[in-house]
Amino acid sequence: MASPRIIMKLKVVVTRKEPGDVLVVELQHPRKPSLPPFEPGSHVDVHLPDGRVRQYSLCGDPADLSRYTIAVKREPEGRGGSAWLHDDIGVGTELPVSAPRNHFPLKQGNGPVLLLAGGIGITPLLAMAGVLNGQGKPFELHYFTRSRAVAPLLAEIEQVIDRNKLRLHFDDEPETRQDIEALLSTPPSDAQVYYCGPPGFMAAIARATEHWPEGSVHFEAFQPAILDDAPQEPFTIILRNGTEIPVPADTSALSAIRAAGVLLMASCENGVCGTCECGILEGQPIHRDAVLSKDARGHRFIPCVSRATGVLRLDL
Amino acid sequence: MTWHGRLLHIHIAPAASYEMEELAEAQLIAGRGIVGDRYYLGTGTYSPKPDVREVTLIEVEALEAIVNGEPKIPGFRAELAPEDHRRNLTTRGVPLGHLVGKRFRVGETILRAARMNFPCKYIEELLGIPGLYEGLLNRSGLNCAIEVGGIIRPGDPILPMDE
């Protein structure tokens, strides 16, 4: 289970509109000059006034702890969190923000790094690209959007990242288009790929990297995975102390575990943030999350969305 | 035992996990807690067991000992600032461990000591300080009820009553 994090009441010091209906928000601590450190790929939880919690990647420079920078795309079909941030906050607004956590760390290595961003998925990858760029490590950042006009943070990307390491792909500029299958067809030796973007983009990259070596593919989703419509079956969870918890077909494992009196933290309840992640001791999970890596799927479980066949023994 | 103590800091948090905020003045409500604090608002983390924690106190001497490397626990070293320890009141010169069951004055208020505070793994994880749980064992402060409410401020005297 994820550990608790300090929640700070940070002050909005800058808001800025970016192409693609994106709002950039810079946050500072009202009393302290320095915020808790973070790594590229880290996200913070923003606590909304109605109690909901949203995750946003930190896209600023990890060496500058005077502020956190997040970029929020308005999701008209979303659950209202992004619309509230776009419409109701301004300079001076106090936002409850958790200390950063990293589910999407950059591995140490000297092999080439491929960063693939789809639209607003650029946020964690921009921080990674900035750090790799500064370290002089071999990398390429591929940024895919529908057009130059809707590409958020493009001006900053072009300013921060060396031109020869940046590949821009716009659907409406045919000469810039990139065949993803071709790009990922032959994994270079010791290469690592990191990607983030909307569900269709995530699915395309997942397909195109299936043949990549284990441990070389890393991703972070900011929307739930595309789920099949298969009916959900009931199953049983067994805890370390032997407690058996039946999970009915219409109930999430998280709800059933909580109803049995186990305090399990959760945040997005959408299979995206990983807050409720726990270990599997035995059993056959049906993963429906968008956060666990291929390797982690063998021994980790996201109970807010994932299910199982028969009996699942959890490390709880 | 005669002692005269002093209130150094007042901290509250609006809900569980929220950073503590320092107050220059606090209002204590009898039978409830400190106005604005999570245990006054009902937004704190709770043990399911019945408990009294309208206001919690910790000795600055315990924090100073931790900074100086006491208790000696392999791998444990911490600097715990008054806003870090998550107790409401930081005191100097008050033998908190001797007050269980007794009443004492803080400024114009009267507190009744209920039980010694017990550290939990939660604070260790929240602050990211490995070993803090063991480091706070037997020096994690005192949980109190508020018998007589009122205003308190840093610098207020803390005095024994039931001698």
Side-chain angles (χ1 to χ4, degrees):
Chain A
M1 187 170 72
S3 53
R5 284 178 288 168
I6 282 278
I7 302 166
M8 302 165 286
K9 287 202 255 177
L10 300 186
K11 275 252 176 342
V12 175
V13 291
V14 172
T15 63
R16 182 178 87 235
K17 286 281 188 179
E18 282 280 325
D21 213 0
V22 167
L23 180 72
V24 171
V25 182
E26 294 184 10
L27 299 151
Q28 282 186 335
H29 198 289
R31 302 184 302 279
K32 298 177 181 173
S34 189
L35 291 160
F38 69 96
E39 302 160 344
S42 298
H43 71 269
V44 292
D45 292 346
V46 175
H47 295 251
L48 305 178
D50 62 4
R52 290 176 302 172
V53 181
R54 291 289 174 272
Q55 285 75 39
Y56 295 103
S57 296
L58 293 172
C59 53
D61 179 1
D64 178 8
L65 294 177
S66 70
R67 61 189 60 210
Y68 289 157
T69 305
I70 59 172
V72 181
K73 180 177 171 61
R74 185 194 288 272
E75 302 287 354
E77 306 300 319
R79 292 174 292 166
S82 66
W84 179 81
L85 286 164
H86 271 251
D87 297 339
D88 293 335
I89 69 162
V91 171
T93 303
E94 211 171 53
L95 275 187
V97 175
S98 71
R101 173 181 292 156
N102 198 358
H103 292 308
F104 194 32
L106 261 178
K107 282 174 71 166
Q108 292 299 320
N110 293 318
V113 176
L114 208 50
L115 306 175
L116 309 176
I120 190 62
I122 187 65
T123 50
L125 300 173
L126 175 55
M128 288 182 182
V131 166
L132 292 169
N133 203 58
Q135 293 173 340
K137 293 222 169 140
F139 80 97
E140 267 187 7
L141 172 62
H142 290 258
Y143 186 22
F144 298 81
T145 65
R146 280 186 285 118
S147 71
R148 181 175 285 272
V150 298
L153 299 166
L154 186 55
E156 187 176 340
I157 293 163
E158 291 186 313
Q159 190 186 346
V160 172
I161 311 299
D162 291 349
R163 280 299 168 95
N164 60 355
K165 293 176 174 170
L166 180 61
R167 307 277 181 271
L168 302 173
H169 309 292
F170 304 117
D171 292 350
D172 65 351
E173 294 180 28
E175 70 281 6
T176 70
R177 282 193 201 152
Q178 170 72 53
D179 179 345
I180 285 176
E181 297 277 348
L183 176 69
L184 298 166
S185 61
T186 312
S189 178
D190 294 331
Q192 303 284 326
V193 61
Y194 297 82
Y195 65 98
C196 181
F201 177 82
M202 300 297 285
I205 309 276
R207 274 195 306 275
T209 52
E210 267 173 4
H211 62 293
W212 278 54
E214 208 170 294
S216 65
V217 179
H218 318 273
F219 63 90
E220 183 166 66
F222 52 87
Q223 285 176 20
I226 300 169
L227 297 176
D228 56 46
D229 293 329
Q232 298 193 144
E233 301 290 336
F235 64 102
T236 302
I237 286 171
I238 300 183
L239 305 182
R240 266 202 314 254
N241 65 8
T243 305
E244 286 195 18
I245 304 173
V247 184
D250 61 352
T251 303
S252 73
L254 175 69
S255 302
I257 291 167
R258 283 178 165 174
V262 179
L263 180 66
L264 189 55
M265 289 202 307
S267 180
C268 74
E269 301 198 22
N270 226 352
V272 171
C273 75
T275 305
C276 61
E277 179 184 333
C278 49
I280 296 173
L281 300 175
E282 198 180 347
Q284 194 58 53
I286 302 170
H287 294 293
R288 296 170 72 88
D289 64 273
V291 62
L292 292 181
S293 67
K294 207 154 66 178
D295 303 346
R297 284 175 187 266
H299 56 102
R300 308 295 291 170
F301 186 69
I302 303 291
C304 65
V305 291
S306 294
R307 307 193 64 81
T309 307
V311 171
L312 189 70
R313 286 181 180 273
L314 291 180
D315 188 15
L316 277 177
Chain B
M1 178 177 48
T2 301
W3 51 267
H4 297 277
R6 194 157 52 88
L7 176 60
L8 298 184
H9 303 281
I10 308 169
H11 284 91
I12 61 169
S17 301
Y18 271 70
E19 209 173 19
M20 302 293 285
E21 293 168 24
E22 182 151 24
L23 298 183
E25 180 178 290
Q27 189 180 5
L28 272 56
I29 307 292
R32 282 199 60 184
I34 304 178
V35 173
D37 186 54
R38 60 217 191 271
Y39 292 107
Y40 172 85
L41 298 166
T43 50
T45 46
Y46 297 89
S47 155
K49 294 175 193 154
D51 199 0
V52 176
R53 55 173 128 192
E54 291 164 16
V55 57
T56 57
L57 298 86
I58 195 166
E59 297 174 18
V60 76
E61 292 87 346
L63 306 180
E64 289 168 349
I66 286 173
V67 170
N68 290 331
E70 296 290 342
K72 286 190 175 24
I73 297 170
F76 170 62
R77 183 93 190 172
E79 281 192 27
L80 215 53
E83 68 267 27
D84 290 334
H85 55 60
R86 306 199 70 74
R87 310 288 172 256
N88 298 123
L89 310 184
T90 307
T91 66
R92 182 177 290 287
V94 183
L96 292 177
H98 296 266
L99 296 179
V100 172
K102 296 182 176 175
R103 298 182 308 154
F104 59 100
R105 293 181 189 279
V106 181
E108 61 186 37
T109 70
I110 296 177
L111 306 185
R112 181 172 44 77
R115 69 164 174 95
M116 295 307 295
N117 188 284
F118 202 77
C120 60
K121 284 281 183 184
Y122 170 80
I123 187 172
E124 179 173 317
E125 292 176 0
L126 192 66
L127 299 177
I129 304 176
L132 185 59
Y133 170 78
E134 283 84 359
L136 282 174
L137 279 173
N138 300 319
R139 57 179 72 201
S140 184
L142 184 64
N143 289 11
C144 293
I146 302 166
E147 282 204 353
V148 176
I151 301 291
I152 59 170
R153 298 181 186 89
D156 278 353
I158 303 178
L159 302 168
M161 287 183 71
D162 300 326
E163 295 271 2

